[in-house]
Amino acid sequence: LLLLLLVLGSQPVLGGSTGDCDTPAFQPSSQSLLSLFNLKKYPLDDPGHVQFRSVVQLCQESLQREGACVLPDFMPRDALLQVQTDLLGLKPVLSEKNHTVFQLPVDPSFPDTHARNRMVEAKISFIPRSMLKAGNLIEQIYAMPELKNLLSDIAGHDLKLSQDKDGSVYATVNLKDYRTAWHFDEHPFSAVLMIQPADVGGRFEMSMGTDNEEDYVLYERIDSVLDGDAVLHTINPRAGTLYFFQGNKTLHQVETIHSKSARISVVFAFALEDNFQNSDSVRGDNKWEKEEN
């Protein structure tokens, strides 16, 4: 399972085109959308099924214990190939940045060396929602009530779709030496579908927090992670795996890619309130927009 990457300057273009892709967007019916998933293992269409309830229970326990749950073989190979067609011909936007783990401006009431203001360095490329082709499959999957219902049951909250024009649903395309750096998300929950893992590196690393974590405990945890002293939970997902976590409480990163093969994933952002959008700080830090030549 490979996406052909052509490098133009420092940026890859997915597929064999260097401009807009003329491949028509896939237009599925409700039933054909469900057929993209491993319904035998994850019966999204039957929330009363004993297997569905078992998945929810196991994922709730994993989310509580480790801060994340992993659904291997969530999407079969042939369906992943269909999702890939949404990305063909699109040129990711490169974002190289230094930021705090909160993705907020430095707080002058704290020293620069304080956990609140410690800076991390990221290099990551995105295909934001606004760049996806009209009628694309990725957005249609994101809008599926069956997917949202499963994740809501796991989270124990009635999850809402983010309304952010770029960061609600997007792809990441990370090449050799790219890294996301440690951070918290602004949206509460994320589901990440692995399209193509890197051959070396690119594991998802995380440090779990709690809803009632005191500030001093939080800052000690951040320092421990950034200093390399923390015990981390690590996920190394295969293609077709979906992993789900509470990103606004869990400090997390994708470690540096060490292989020529890119790490490609699709991220679905979920909120707890209607009309959620990222702050101007997060939008600015992630540099979703293409730079004008």
Side-chain angles (χ1 to χ4, degrees):
L1 178 64
L2 293 174
L3 285 179
L4 181 62
L5 295 175
L6 302 180
V7 178
L8 298 181
S10 62
Q11 289 292 348
V13 174
L14 300 187
S17 171
T18 58
D20 295 332
C21 180
D22 296 327
T23 305
F26 180 57
Q27 297 290 345
S29 66
S30 176
Q31 280 303 115
S32 61
L33 276 175
L34 282 169
S35 71
L36 295 171
F37 301 93
N38 184 348
L39 295 180
K40 183 175 182 180
K41 195 169 184 177
Y42 306 105
L44 300 178
D45 55 342
D46 188 1
H49 194 285
V50 62
Q51 177 65 14
F52 184 99
R53 302 317 310 169
S54 175
V55 167
V56 168
Q57 181 178 343
L58 290 173
C59 282
Q60 287 175 334
E61 293 171 356
S62 180
L63 199 63
Q64 182 71 24
R65 181 178 64 251
E66 299 167 346
C69 70
V70 180
L71 304 175
D73 305 316
F74 192 73
M75 181 173 284
R77 175 189 172 92
D78 57 345
L80 288 175
L81 292 173
Q82 293 184 58
V83 172
Q84 287 180 15
T85 64
D86 280 349
L87 306 177
L88 295 177
L90 300 179
K91 183 176 181 179
V93 179
L94 176 64
S95 178
E96 295 185 86
K97 54 187 177 178
N98 293 313
H99 60 79
T100 68
V101 298
F102 298 99
Q103 300 191 79
L104 294 172
V106 167
D107 186 337
S109 66
F110 293 95
D112 288 345
T113 55
H114 191 277
R116 169 60 182 80
N117 289 335
R118 289 183 66 173
M119 304 296 283
V120 293
E121 183 179 358
K123 182 179 183 181
I124 183 172
S125 61
F126 302 95
I127 297 176
R129 184 174 193 168
S130 60
M131 282 178 57
L132 295 173
K133 294 174 287 187
N136 68 83
L137 182 57
I138 291 172
E139 285 185 292
Q140 292 182 61
I141 291 172
Y142 181 49
M144 288 180 64
E146 295 88 351
L147 177 62
K148 186 172 76 70
N149 291 343
L150 170 65
L151 299 178
S152 293
D153 282 358
I154 292 170
H157 297 281
D158 180 17
L159 299 181
K160 313 292 185 181
L161 302 184
S162 169
Q163 299 304 306
D164 196 87
K165 72 182 184 71
D166 289 316
S168 51
V169 54
Y170 58 94
T172 66
V173 183
N174 290 318
L175 306 177
K176 190 175 185 293
D177 297 327
Y178 284 30
R179 60 208 169 274
T180 62
W182 290 105
H183 66 283
F184 294 99
D185 293 331
E186 205 163 45
H187 55 272
F189 289 92
S190 291
V192 181
L193 178 64
M194 181 56 63
I195 305 299
Q196 175 181 289
D199 290 335
V200 184
R203 296 179 304 173
F204 181 78
E205 299 179 314
M206 52 180 286
S207 170
M208 177 184 173
T210 63
D211 288 333
N212 301 314
E213 191 172 31
E214 297 284 349
D215 283 350
Y216 78 93
V217 176
L218 169 63
Y219 292 141
E220 287 179 352
R221 180 162 65 91
I222 293 170
D223 279 332
S224 178
V225 170
L226 297 187
D227 292 338
D229 299 327
V231 177
L232 304 174
H233 180 60
T234 301
I235 299 171
N236 194 17
R238 303 188 306 268
T241 294
L242 185 83
Y243 59 94
F244 180 65
F245 64 100
Q246 189 171 1
N248 67 340
K249 302 294 182 184
T250 299
L251 184 60
H252 59 280
Q253 72 165 1
V254 173
E255 67 175 2
T256 303
I257 310 299
H258 296 295
S259 62
K260 292 183 179 180
S261 62
R263 182 189 196 270
I264 304 171
S265 66
V266 173
V267 181
F268 305 104
F270 294 92
L272 299 180
E273 68 274 4
D274 293 320
N275 301 314
F276 173 88
Q277 295 188 52
N278 288 321
S279 66
D280 290 341
S281 175
V282 169
R283 290 198 193 102
D285 271 349
N286 285 289
K287 299 179 182 176
W288 296 104
E289 303 294 337
K290 293 180 179 178
E291 294 184 3
E292 297 295 333
N293 293 326

mmCIF file of all heavy atoms in Angstrom, residues 166-207:
data_model
loop_
_atom_site.group_PDB
_atom_site.id
_atom_site.type_symbol
_atom_site.label_atom_id
_atom_site.label_comp_id
_atom_site.label_asym_id
_atom_site.label_seq_id
_atom_site.Cartn_x
_atom_site.Cartn_y
_atom_site.Cartn_z
ATOM 1 N N ASP A 166 -10.350 24.580 8.069
ATOM 2 C CA ASP A 166 -9.150 23.838 7.702
ATOM 3 C C ASP A 166 -8.871 22.673 8.655
ATOM 4 O O ASP A 166 -8.516 21.589 8.224
ATOM 5 C CB ASP A 166 -7.928 24.763 7.696
ATOM 6 C CG ASP A 166 -7.936 25.741 6.539
ATOM 7 O OD1 ASP A 166 -8.241 25.294 5.414
ATOM 8 O OD2 ASP A 166 -7.656 26.923 6.750
ATOM 9 N N GLY A 167 -9.021 22.898 9.965
ATOM 10 C CA GLY A 167 -8.585 21.929 10.959
ATOM 11 C C GLY A 167 -9.640 20.964 11.452
ATOM 12 O O GLY A 167 -9.389 20.209 12.394
ATOM 13 N N SER A 168 -10.812 20.949 10.818
ATOM 14 C CA SER A 168 -11.859 20.016 11.258
ATOM 15 C C SER A 168 -11.588 18.604 10.767
ATOM 16 O O SER A 168 -11.777 17.621 11.494
ATOM 17 C CB SER A 168 -13.234 20.488 10.776
ATOM 18 O OG SER A 168 -13.194 20.761 9.383
ATOM 19 N N VAL A 169 -11.164 18.483 9.543
ATOM 20 C CA VAL A 169 -10.763 17.201 8.962
ATOM 21 C C VAL A 169 -9.666 17.502 7.940
ATOM 22 O O VAL A 169 -9.819 18.404 7.109
ATOM 23 C CB VAL A 169 -11.957 16.445 8.336
ATOM 24 C CG1 VAL A 169 -12.709 17.296 7.327
ATOM 25 C CG2 VAL A 169 -11.496 15.138 7.693
ATOM 26 N N TYR A 170 -8.553 16.797 8.043
ATOM 27 C CA TYR A 170 -7.403 17.121 7.204
ATOM 28 C C TYR A 170 -6.469 15.919 7.135
ATOM 29 O O TYR A 170 -6.589 14.968 7.913
ATOM 30 C CB TYR A 170 -6.659 18.345 7.746
ATOM 31 C CG TYR A 170 -6.161 18.197 9.159
ATOM 32 C CD1 TYR A 170 -4.868 17.759 9.435
ATOM 33 C CD2 TYR A 170 -6.982 18.506 10.241
ATOM 34 C CE1 TYR A 170 -4.400 17.620 10.731
ATOM 35 C CE2 TYR A 170 -6.534 18.376 11.546
ATOM 36 C CZ TYR A 170 -5.248 17.928 11.788
ATOM 37 O OH TYR A 170 -4.794 17.787 13.074
ATOM 38 N N ALA A 171 -5.545 15.983 6.217
ATOM 39 C CA ALA A 171 -4.527 14.940 6.091
ATOM 40 C C ALA A 171 -3.180 15.498 6.522
ATOM 41 O O ALA A 171 -2.911 16.695 6.375
ATOM 42 C CB ALA A 171 -4.452 14.429 4.656
ATOM 43 N N THR A 172 -2.341 14.634 7.059
ATOM 44 C CA THR A 172 -0.945 14.977 7.313
ATOM 45 C C THR A 172 -0.076 14.104 6.412
ATOM 46 O O THR A 172 -0.346 12.917 6.242
ATOM 47 C CB THR A 172 -0.542 14.763 8.783
ATOM 48 O OG1 THR A 172 -0.598 13.374 9.105
ATOM 49 C CG2 THR A 172 -1.464 15.529 9.712
ATOM 50 N N VAL A 173 0.948 14.716 5.829
ATOM 51 C CA VAL A 173 1.880 14.009 4.946
ATOM 52 C C VAL A 173 3.284 14.356 5.423
ATOM 53 O O VAL A 173 3.793 15.435 5.151
ATOM 54 C CB VAL A 173 1.691 14.416 3.474
ATOM 55 C CG1 VAL A 173 2.634 13.610 2.580
ATOM 56 C CG2 VAL A 173 0.247 14.238 3.033
ATOM 57 N N ASN A 174 3.896 13.455 6.168
ATOM 58 C CA ASN A 174 5.167 13.759 6.813
ATOM 59 C C ASN A 174 6.294 12.915 6.239
ATOM 60 O O ASN A 174 6.228 11.688 6.220
ATOM 61 C CB ASN A 174 5.046 13.557 8.316
ATOM 62 C CG ASN A 174 4.168 14.630 8.935
ATOM 63 O OD1 ASN A 174 4.275 15.796 8.586
ATOM 64 N ND2 ASN A 174 3.268 14.229 9.819
ATOM 65 N N LEU A 175 7.323 13.616 5.784
ATOM 66 C CA LEU A 175 8.467 12.998 5.132
ATOM 67 C C LEU A 175 9.623 12.830 6.116
ATOM 68 O O LEU A 175 9.500 13.147 7.299
ATOM 69 C CB LEU A 175 8.901 13.857 3.941
ATOM 70 C CG LEU A 175 7.817 14.186 2.908
ATOM 71 C CD1 LEU A 175 8.388 15.101 1.842
ATOM 72 C CD2 LEU A 175 7.243 12.926 2.298
ATOM 73 N N LYS A 176 10.746 12.357 5.610
ATOM 74 C CA LYS A 176 11.932 12.138 6.439
ATOM 75 C C LYS A 176 12.323 13.422 7.178
ATOM 76 O O LYS A 176 12.359 14.501 6.589
ATOM 77 C CB LYS A 176 13.097 11.654 5.579
ATOM 78 C CG LYS A 176 14.312 11.169 6.358
ATOM 79 C CD LYS A 176 15.360 10.601 5.407
ATOM 80 C CE LYS A 176 16.529 9.992 6.175
ATOM 81 N NZ LYS A 176 17.306 11.025 6.899
ATOM 82 N N ASP A 177 12.574 13.284 8.475
ATOM 83 C CA ASP A 177 12.971 14.357 9.384
ATOM 84 C C ASP A 177 11.822 15.273 9.780
ATOM 85 O O ASP A 177 12.030 16.247 10.518
ATOM 86 C CB ASP A 177 14.120 15.199 8.803
ATOM 87 C CG ASP A 177 15.387 14.379 8.602
ATOM 88 O OD1 ASP A 177 15.628 13.451 9.405
ATOM 89 O OD2 ASP A 177 16.124 14.656 7.639
ATOM 90 N N TYR A 178 10.600 14.991 9.343
ATOM 91 C CA TYR A 178 9.445 15.747 9.817
ATOM 92 C C TYR A 178 9.046 15.225 11.196
ATOM 93 O O TYR A 178 9.252 14.063 11.538
ATOM 94 C CB TYR A 178 8.253 15.596 8.864
ATOM 95 C CG TYR A 178 8.336 16.390 7.583
ATOM 96 C CD1 TYR A 178 9.544 16.686 6.978
ATOM 97 C CD2 TYR A 178 7.185 16.825 6.946
ATOM 98 C CE1 TYR A 178 9.611 17.402 5.789
ATOM 99 C CE2 TYR A 178 7.232 17.540 5.754
ATOM 100 C CZ TYR A 178 8.446 17.823 5.184
ATOM 101 O OH TYR A 178 8.509 18.517 4.007
ATOM 102 N N ARG A 179 8.415 16.093 11.988
ATOM 103 C CA ARG A 179 7.946 15.729 13.325
ATOM 104 C C ARG A 179 6.851 16.728 13.709
ATOM 105 O O ARG A 179 6.918 17.903 13.334
ATOM 106 C CB ARG A 179 9.092 15.800 14.334
ATOM 107 C CG ARG A 179 9.703 17.171 14.425
ATOM 108 C CD ARG A 179 11.151 17.191 14.845
ATOM 109 N NE ARG A 179 11.727 18.527 14.650
ATOM 110 C CZ ARG A 179 12.251 18.947 13.509
ATOM 111 N NH1 ARG A 179 12.278 18.136 12.446
ATOM 112 N NH2 ARG A 179 12.740 20.153 13.400
ATOM 113 N N THR A 180 5.883 16.276 14.500
ATOM 114 C CA THR A 180 4.820 17.212 14.899
ATOM 115 C C THR A 180 5.181 17.997 16.141
ATOM 116 O O THR A 180 4.673 19.095 16.343
ATOM 117 C CB THR A 180 3.495 16.483 15.172
ATOM 118 O OG1 THR A 180 3.662 15.580 16.262
ATOM 119 C CG2 THR A 180 3.030 15.735 13.949
ATOM 120 N N ALA A 181 6.032 17.480 17.005
ATOM 121 C CA ALA A 181 6.418 18.092 18.287
ATOM 122 C C ALA A 181 5.282 17.962 19.303
ATOM 123 O O ALA A 181 4.106 17.840 18.950
ATOM 124 C CB ALA A 181 6.839 19.544 18.127
ATOM 125 N N TRP A 182 5.658 18.030 20.569
ATOM 126 C CA TRP A 182 4.689 17.856 21.659
ATOM 127 C C TRP A 182 3.687 19.009 21.683
ATOM 128 O O TRP A 182 4.060 20.182 21.543
ATOM 129 C CB TRP A 182 5.418 17.791 23.000
ATOM 130 C CG TRP A 182 6.224 16.528 23.177
ATOM 131 C CD1 TRP A 182 7.577 16.397 23.093
ATOM 132 C CD2 TRP A 182 5.705 15.224 23.454
ATOM 133 N NE1 TRP A 182 7.948 15.083 23.298
ATOM 134 C CE2 TRP A 182 6.813 14.340 23.529
ATOM 135 C CE3 TRP A 182 4.422 14.712 23.648
ATOM 136 C CZ2 TRP A 182 6.679 12.977 23.787
ATOM 137 C CZ3 TRP A 182 4.282 13.358 23.905
ATOM 138 C CH2 TRP A 182 5.392 12.506 23.971
ATOM 139 N N HIS A 183 2.406 18.657 21.871
ATOM 140 C CA HIS A 183 1.375 19.686 21.939
ATOM 141 C C HIS A 183 0.082 19.113 22.496
ATOM 142 O O HIS A 183 -0.114 17.898 22.555
ATOM 143 C CB HIS A 183 1.107 20.283 20.548
ATOM 144 C CG HIS A 183 0.497 19.310 19.575
ATOM 145 N ND1 HIS A 183 1.221 18.323 18.946
ATOM 146 C CD2 HIS A 183 -0.789 19.168 19.135
ATOM 147 C CE1 HIS A 183 0.424 17.627 18.151
ATOM 148 N NE2 HIS A 183 -0.796 18.118 18.257
ATOM 149 N N PHE A 184 -0.792 20.024 22.915
ATOM 150 C CA PHE A 184 -2.185 19.715 23.208
ATOM 151 C C PHE A 184 -3.036 20.244 22.062
ATOM 152 O O PHE A 184 -2.727 21.285 21.464
ATOM 153 C CB PHE A 184 -2.645 20.392 24.509
ATOM 154 C CG PHE A 184 -1.975 19.886 25.754
ATOM 155 C CD1 PHE A 184 -0.924 20.589 26.318
ATOM 156 C CD2 PHE A 184 -2.393 18.714 26.358
ATOM 157 C CE1 PHE A 184 -0.303 20.140 27.466
ATOM 158 C CE2 PHE A 184 -1.772 18.255 27.507
ATOM 159 C CZ PHE A 184 -0.730 18.960 28.073
ATOM 160 N N ASP A 185 -4.113 19.543 21.752
ATOM 161 C CA ASP A 185 -5.064 20.028 20.755
ATOM 162 C C ASP A 185 -6.034 21.016 21.400
ATOM 163 O O ASP A 185 -6.278 20.984 22.604
ATOM 164 C CB ASP A 185 -5.872 18.872 20.163
ATOM 165 C CG ASP A 185 -5.020 17.929 19.339
ATOM 166 O OD1 ASP A 185 -4.012 18.378 18.765
ATOM 167 O OD2 ASP A 185 -5.366 16.730 19.275
ATOM 168 N N GLU A 186 -6.604 21.865 20.586
ATOM 169 C CA GLU A 186 -7.663 22.756 21.065
ATOM 170 C C GLU A 186 -9.004 22.032 21.056
ATOM 171 O O GLU A 186 -9.819 22.211 21.975
ATOM 172 C CB GLU A 186 -7.709 24.009 20.189
ATOM 173 C CG GLU A 186 -8.297 25.203 20.880
ATOM 174 C CD GLU A 186 -7.959 26.491 20.172
ATOM 175 O OE1 GLU A 186 -8.071 26.530 18.926
ATOM 176 O OE2 GLU A 186 -7.594 27.461 20.854
ATOM 177 N N HIS A 187 -9.264 21.215 20.036
ATOM 178 C CA HIS A 187 -10.494 20.420 20.028
ATOM 179 C C HIS A 187 -10.318 19.238 21.005
ATOM 180 O O HIS A 187 -9.223 18.691 21.131
ATOM 181 C CB HIS A 187 -10.824 19.923 18.626
ATOM 182 C CG HIS A 187 -9.730 19.154 17.968
ATOM 183 N ND1 HIS A 187 -8.730 19.757 17.217
ATOM 184 C CD2 HIS A 187 -9.454 17.828 17.958
ATOM 185 C CE1 HIS A 187 -7.901 18.837 16.771
ATOM 186 N NE2 HIS A 187 -8.307 17.656 17.214
ATOM 187 N N PRO A 188 -11.367 18.830 21.696
ATOM 188 C CA PRO A 188 -11.227 17.825 22.760
ATOM 189 C C PRO A 188 -10.818 16.440 22.289
ATOM 190 O O PRO A 188 -9.996 15.785 22.940
ATOM 191 C CB PRO A 188 -12.622 17.792 23.397
ATOM 192 C CG PRO A 188 -13.217 19.115 23.086
ATOM 193 C CD PRO A 188 -12.694 19.478 21.728
ATOM 194 N N PHE A 189 -11.375 15.941 21.191
ATOM 195 C CA PHE A 189 -11.122 14.561 20.775
ATOM 196 C C PHE A 189 -10.671 14.506 19.316
ATOM 197 O O PHE A 189 -11.141 15.281 18.483
ATOM 198 C CB PHE A 189 -12.380 13.699 20.950
ATOM 199 C CG PHE A 189 -12.740 13.419 22.385
ATOM 200 C CD1 PHE A 189 -13.611 14.254 23.070
ATOM 201 C CD2 PHE A 189 -12.202 12.330 23.054
ATOM 202 C CE1 PHE A 189 -13.944 14.006 24.391
ATOM 203 C CE2 PHE A 189 -12.520 12.066 24.372
ATOM 204 C CZ PHE A 189 -13.394 12.913 25.049
ATOM 205 N N SER A 190 -9.785 13.563 19.044
ATOM 206 C CA SER A 190 -9.314 13.315 17.676
ATOM 207 C C SER A 190 -9.414 11.837 17.358
ATOM 208 O O SER A 190 -9.109 10.983 18.203
ATOM 209 C CB SER A 190 -7.854 13.751 17.511
ATOM 210 O OG SER A 190 -7.707 15.135 17.579
ATOM 211 N N ALA A 191 -9.812 11.540 16.126
ATOM 212 C CA ALA A 191 -9.724 10.189 15.575
ATOM 213 C C ALA A 191 -8.789 10.267 14.378
ATOM 214 O O ALA A 191 -8.960 11.124 13.501
ATOM 215 C CB ALA A 191 -11.097 9.675 15.156
ATOM 216 N N VAL A 192 -7.790 9.400 14.342
ATOM 217 C CA VAL A 192 -6.771 9.439 13.300
ATOM 218 C C VAL A 192 -6.785 8.120 12.531
ATOM 219 O O VAL A 192 -6.617 7.043 13.120
ATOM 220 C CB VAL A 192 -5.368 9.689 13.894
ATOM 221 C CG1 VAL A 192 -4.326 9.747 12.773
ATOM 222 C CG2 VAL A 192 -5.353 10.962 14.718
ATOM 223 N N LEU A 193 -7.001 8.211 11.230
ATOM 224 C CA LEU A 193 -6.988 7.043 10.355
ATOM 225 C C LEU A 193 -5.627 6.963 9.668
ATOM 226 O O LEU A 193 -5.241 7.878 8.944
ATOM 227 C CB LEU A 193 -8.102 7.143 9.308
ATOM 228 C CG LEU A 193 -8.174 6.013 8.281
ATOM 229 C CD1 LEU A 193 -8.503 4.676 8.942
ATOM 230 C CD2 LEU A 193 -9.214 6.336 7.201
ATOM 231 N N MET A 194 -4.909 5.862 9.909
ATOM 232 C CA MET A 194 -3.594 5.698 9.299
ATOM 233 C C MET A 194 -3.751 5.205 7.866
ATOM 234 O O MET A 194 -4.305 4.131 7.616
ATOM 235 C CB MET A 194 -2.756 4.717 10.110
ATOM 236 C CG MET A 194 -1.354 4.488 9.564
ATOM 237 S SD MET A 194 -0.390 6.000 9.385
ATOM 238 C CE MET A 194 -0.297 6.529 11.096
ATOM 239 N N ILE A 195 -3.286 6.004 6.929
ATOM 240 C CA ILE A 195 -3.309 5.634 5.519
ATOM 241 C C ILE A 195 -2.032 4.896 5.149
ATOM 242 O O ILE A 195 -2.063 3.843 4.507
ATOM 243 C CB ILE A 195 -3.462 6.886 4.635
ATOM 244 C CG1 ILE A 195 -4.703 7.699 5.053
ATOM 245 C CG2 ILE A 195 -3.554 6.490 3.167
ATOM 246 C CD1 ILE A 195 -6.006 6.949 4.924
ATOM 247 N N GLN A 196 -0.892 5.430 5.552
ATOM 248 C CA GLN A 196 0.398 4.809 5.265
ATOM 249 C C GLN A 196 1.368 5.138 6.395
ATOM 250 O O GLN A 196 1.703 6.309 6.605
ATOM 251 C CB GLN A 196 0.958 5.338 3.942
ATOM 252 C CG GLN A 196 2.365 4.845 3.611
ATOM 253 C CD GLN A 196 2.872 5.414 2.308
ATOM 254 O OE1 GLN A 196 2.397 5.042 1.241
ATOM 255 N NE2 GLN A 196 3.839 6.327 2.370
ATOM 256 N N PRO A 197 1.843 4.148 7.145
ATOM 257 C CA PRO A 197 2.841 4.418 8.178
ATOM 258 C C PRO A 197 4.224 4.594 7.561
ATOM 259 O O PRO A 197 4.490 4.115 6.456
ATOM 260 C CB PRO A 197 2.785 3.162 9.052
ATOM 261 C CG PRO A 197 2.332 2.082 8.116
ATOM 262 C CD PRO A 197 1.428 2.739 7.100
ATOM 263 N N ALA A 198 5.094 5.278 8.281
ATOM 264 C CA ALA A 198 6.493 5.355 7.870
ATOM 265 C C ALA A 198 7.165 4.017 8.132
ATOM 266 O O ALA A 198 6.774 3.277 9.045
ATOM 267 C CB ALA A 198 7.206 6.461 8.650
ATOM 268 N N ASP A 199 8.176 3.700 7.353
ATOM 269 C CA ASP A 199 8.916 2.459 7.587
ATOM 270 C C ASP A 199 9.705 2.513 8.893
ATOM 271 O O ASP A 199 9.826 1.522 9.605
ATOM 272 C CB ASP A 199 9.876 2.176 6.422
ATOM 273 C CG ASP A 199 9.144 1.792 5.154
ATOM 274 O OD1 ASP A 199 8.005 1.297 5.265
ATOM 275 O OD2 ASP A 199 9.697 1.999 4.066
ATOM 276 N N VAL A 200 10.254 3.691 9.192
ATOM 277 C CA VAL A 200 11.040 3.880 10.413
ATOM 278 C C VAL A 200 10.628 5.201 11.047
ATOM 279 O O VAL A 200 10.607 6.238 10.387
ATOM 280 C CB VAL A 200 12.562 3.905 10.123
ATOM 281 C CG1 VAL A 200 13.344 4.007 11.436
ATOM 282 C CG2 VAL A 200 12.988 2.673 9.328
ATOM 283 N N GLY A 201 10.320 5.167 12.338
ATOM 284 C CA GLY A 201 9.875 6.366 13.035
ATOM 285 C C GLY A 201 8.394 6.610 12.838
ATOM 286 O O GLY A 201 7.656 5.787 12.289
ATOM 287 N N GLY A 202 7.934 7.784 13.297
ATOM 288 C CA GLY A 202 6.542 8.163 13.096
ATOM 289 C C GLY A 202 5.566 7.531 14.062
ATOM 290 O O GLY A 202 4.359 7.569 13.827
ATOM 291 N N ARG A 203 6.061 7.000 15.187
ATOM 292 C CA ARG A 203 5.135 6.459 16.179
ATOM 293 C C ARG A 203 4.392 7.602 16.872
ATOM 294 O O ARG A 203 4.910 8.699 17.021
ATOM 295 C CB ARG A 203 5.873 5.619 17.216
ATOM 296 C CG ARG A 203 6.541 4.375 16.661
ATOM 297 C CD ARG A 203 7.277 3.626 17.761
ATOM 298 N NE ARG A 203 8.248 4.480 18.443
ATOM 299 C CZ ARG A 203 8.930 4.132 19.522
ATOM 300 N NH1 ARG A 203 8.743 2.938 20.067
ATOM 301 N NH2 ARG A 203 9.801 4.967 20.072
ATOM 302 N N PHE A 204 3.184 7.314 17.320
ATOM 303 C CA PHE A 204 2.398 8.268 18.093
ATOM 304 C C PHE A 204 2.743 8.082 19.563
ATOM 305 O O PHE A 204 2.601 6.989 20.111
ATOM 306 C CB PHE A 204 0.905 8.039 17.850
ATOM 307 C CG PHE A 204 0.003 8.987 18.589
ATOM 308 C CD1 PHE A 204 -0.191 10.278 18.125
ATOM 309 C CD2 PHE A 204 -0.652 8.594 19.746
ATOM 310 C CE1 PHE A 204 -1.030 11.153 18.796
ATOM 311 C CE2 PHE A 204 -1.488 9.463 20.427
ATOM 312 C CZ PHE A 204 -1.678 10.750 19.946
ATOM 313 N N GLU A 205 3.204 9.157 20.215
ATOM 314 C CA GLU A 205 3.599 9.110 21.615
ATOM 315 C C GLU A 205 2.711 10.049 22.414
ATOM 316 O O GLU A 205 2.350 11.129 21.936
ATOM 317 C CB GLU A 205 5.061 9.519 21.780
ATOM 318 C CG GLU A 205 6.033 8.612 21.040
ATOM 319 C CD GLU A 205 7.476 9.069 21.197
ATOM 320 O OE1 GLU A 205 7.726 10.280 21.050
ATOM 321 O OE2 GLU A 205 8.329 8.208 21.476
ATOM 322 N N MET A 206 2.397 9.658 23.654
ATOM 323 C CA MET A 206 1.457 10.463 24.426
ATOM 324 C C MET A 206 1.701 10.323 25.920
ATOM 325 O O MET A 206 2.226 9.318 26.401
ATOM 326 C CB MET A 206 0.028 10.066 24.097
ATOM 327 C CG MET A 206 -0.260 8.584 24.211
ATOM 328 S SD MET A 206 -1.957 8.157 23.827
ATOM 329 C CE MET A 206 -2.772 8.753 25.296
ATOM 330 N N SER A 207 1.312 11.377 26.633
ATOM 331 C CA SER A 207 1.319 11.397 28.091
ATOM 332 C C SER A 207 -0.079 11.801 28.539
ATOM 333 O O SER A 207 -0.527 12.918 28.278
ATOM 334 C CB SER A 207 2.356 12.388 28.618
ATOM 335 O OG SER A 207 2.219 12.577 30.018
#
